[in-house]
């Protein structure tokens, strides 16, 4: 189960990255050239491509993960 959950999480992350990149291409914005640039863009553009519901779900998942760590 742990491996399957990790695979699903990776797939979801890639889906979000593709959505951010598509958003940038459609709006004539620069595409990141390195990992640091991609991380910065994800933090800035994620709110533009995800719905409010998706953002809430991500926040809940982060909170749940933090609770498990402590």
């Amino acid at each position: 189960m742990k491996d399957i959950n990790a695979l699903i999480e990776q797939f979801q992350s890639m889906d979000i990255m593709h959505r951010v990149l598509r958003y940038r291409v459609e709006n004539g914005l620069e595409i990141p050239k390195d990992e640091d640039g991609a991380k910065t863009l994800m933090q800035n553009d994620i709110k533009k491509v995800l719905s409010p519901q998706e953002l809430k779900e991500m926040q809940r998942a982060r909170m749940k993960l933090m609770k498990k760590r402590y």
Side-chain angles (χ1 to χ4, degrees), residues 13-27 29-32 37-38 40-50:
S13 294
M14 289 305 299
D15 177 55
I16 293 169
M17 177 59 82
H18 283 115
R19 289 166 68 180
V20 168
L21 292 174
R22 228 176 296 129
Y23 165 82
R24 294 192 68 78
V25 168
E26 290 170 358
N27 290 286
L29 302 171
E30 187 177 328
I31 300 297
T40 301
L41 291 179
M42 285 294 291
Q43 292 173 349
N44 294 332
D45 290 350
I46 199 165
K47 294 175 184 169
K48 298 173 186 171
V49 299
L50 295 182

Side-chain angles (χ1 to χ4, degrees), residues 7 11-12 18 20 24 26 34 39 42 44 46 48 51 53 62 67:
L7 180 65
F11 179 80
Q12 290 170 335
H18 283 115
V20 168
R24 294 192 68 78
E26 290 170 358
D34 58 18
K39 287 179 182 180
M42 285 294 291
N44 294 332
I46 199 165
K48 298 173 186 171
S51 69
Q53 181 63 31
R62 261 188 259 126
K67 286 181 182 178

